[in-house]
Amino acid sequence: MFKTLPDWIHEVVLVDGNSTDNTVEVARELWPDVVVVPQRGKGKGDALIAGFEVCTGDIIVMVDADGSADGQEIVSYVSALVSGADFAKGSRFANGGGTDDMTPIRKLGNWALCTVVNKKFGARYTDLCYGYNAFWRHCLDQIDLDCTGFEVETLMNIRVVKAGLKVQEIPSHEYLRIHGASNLRAVRDGLRVLKVILKERSTRRAQRRRRTQATMLNTGRGEVS
């Protein structure tokens, strides 16, 4: 992964989930200034939150370290942000993207869940559950992440839309991981993603009801201009 990173990157933050394969040692050998964050909890969402807390750059790029991502694509992500986007969202299914790693069942599940999010939240995503994204640091205050598992990307994508942030999809190619096996389980994690979608939809409806009630009360006092 380090071989593909642009040399102008301000810092690299590595979240170590108690690895036993010398990940930290090798990372420090290849990138001496790497910032290592020990993960206290479990899950991808927990790891990302831990990493975000120590990032010092104005732009944060989140990327899996299994070798499936091309670090050179960071140029496209950053270009989108400095051109006006708040959130640069990687997509394996946008024109120019692709994947060597997804099974047919995972592709179907991703498409179905993506379709639900687009319909329920007014988004126009082509990919929902992908971990290669970039955003301005200040966006974290508006999306307020609070989940621990693989559903974290879905939560981010939904809350970005709910916050009214400007999103630009970036075509990205996902390669086969260099080593190790994915902890993702299609059915189990698909249900967790669906649960997040339903929860966020319910929260949005409640917020609309409160706004409507507040407007009615103000109208009754003659305070609406």
Side-chain angles (χ1 to χ4, degrees):
M1 181 65 200
F2 285 159
K3 288 182 179 180
T4 69
L5 295 179
D7 56 12
W8 43 261
I9 286 180
H10 166 63
E11 70 181 352
V12 175
V13 174
L14 169 67
V15 180
D16 175 37
N18 300 311
S19 59
T20 58
D21 56 0
N22 297 323
T23 292
V24 174
E25 290 78 5
V26 173
R28 285 177 171 153
E29 179 181 345
L30 297 175
W31 201 286
D33 295 329
V34 66
V35 178
V36 178
V37 180
Q39 183 180 358
R40 295 183 177 84
K42 293 182 179 180
K44 186 173 185 178
D46 180 84
L48 287 173
I49 292 171
F52 293 158
E53 288 178 350
V54 303
C55 290
T56 62
D58 294 323
I59 290 175
I60 298 176
V61 181
M62 49 184 278
V63 58
D64 293 338
D66 56 12
S68 62
D70 181 359
Q72 287 298 319
E73 291 181 2
I74 289 176
V75 176
S76 298
Y77 286 84
V78 173
S79 295
L81 295 177
V82 299
S83 296
D86 297 306
F87 191 88
K89 180 186 178 309
S91 174
R92 295 161 292 186
F93 304 109
N95 187 26
T99 176
D100 301 329
D101 191 50
M102 290 186 77
T103 62
I105 188 65
R106 284 179 57 198
K107 286 182 179 179
L108 178 61
N110 187 49
W111 171 83
L113 293 169
C114 189
T115 300
V116 172
V117 167
N118 287 344
K119 182 177 180 180
K120 297 298 184 181
F121 297 94
R124 300 179 63 183
Y125 295 140
T126 60
D127 196 351
L128 186 66
C129 308
Y130 190 39
Y132 200 170
N133 304 292
F135 50 90
W136 292 100
R137 180 180 176 82
H138 64 76
C139 293
L140 289 173
D141 296 330
Q142 295 173 268
I143 59 179
D144 190 26
L145 298 177
D146 54 4
C147 68
T148 60
F150 280 106
E151 69 274 17
V152 63
E153 289 103 356
T154 297
L155 182 64
M156 292 184 74
N157 292 330
I158 291 175
R159 291 189 175 173
V160 161
V161 172
K162 291 171 68 174
L165 299 177
K166 183 178 180 181
V167 180
Q168 181 174 331
E169 283 198 330
I170 307 298
S172 178
H173 193 98
E174 179 185 40
Y175 299 92
L176 292 174
R177 63 180 57 238
I178 293 175
H179 180 70
S182 173
N183 291 319
L184 186 147
R185 297 293 178 267
V187 176
R188 179 198 65 187
D189 293 307
L191 290 175
R192 292 185 66 165
V193 168
L194 182 59
K195 183 177 179 180
V196 163
I197 295 172
L198 296 175
K199 180 180 178 181
E200 290 298 305
R201 179 61 176 171
S202 176
T203 301
R204 192 182 195 189
R205 286 176 174 172
Q207 291 172 341
R208 284 179 175 175
R209 283 196 297 269
R210 286 195 293 269
R211 286 196 295 266
T212 300
Q213 291 170 354
T215 299
M216 292 175 64
L217 288 173
N218 288 336
T219 301
R221 300 193 199 100
E223 297 176 356
V224 174
S225 59

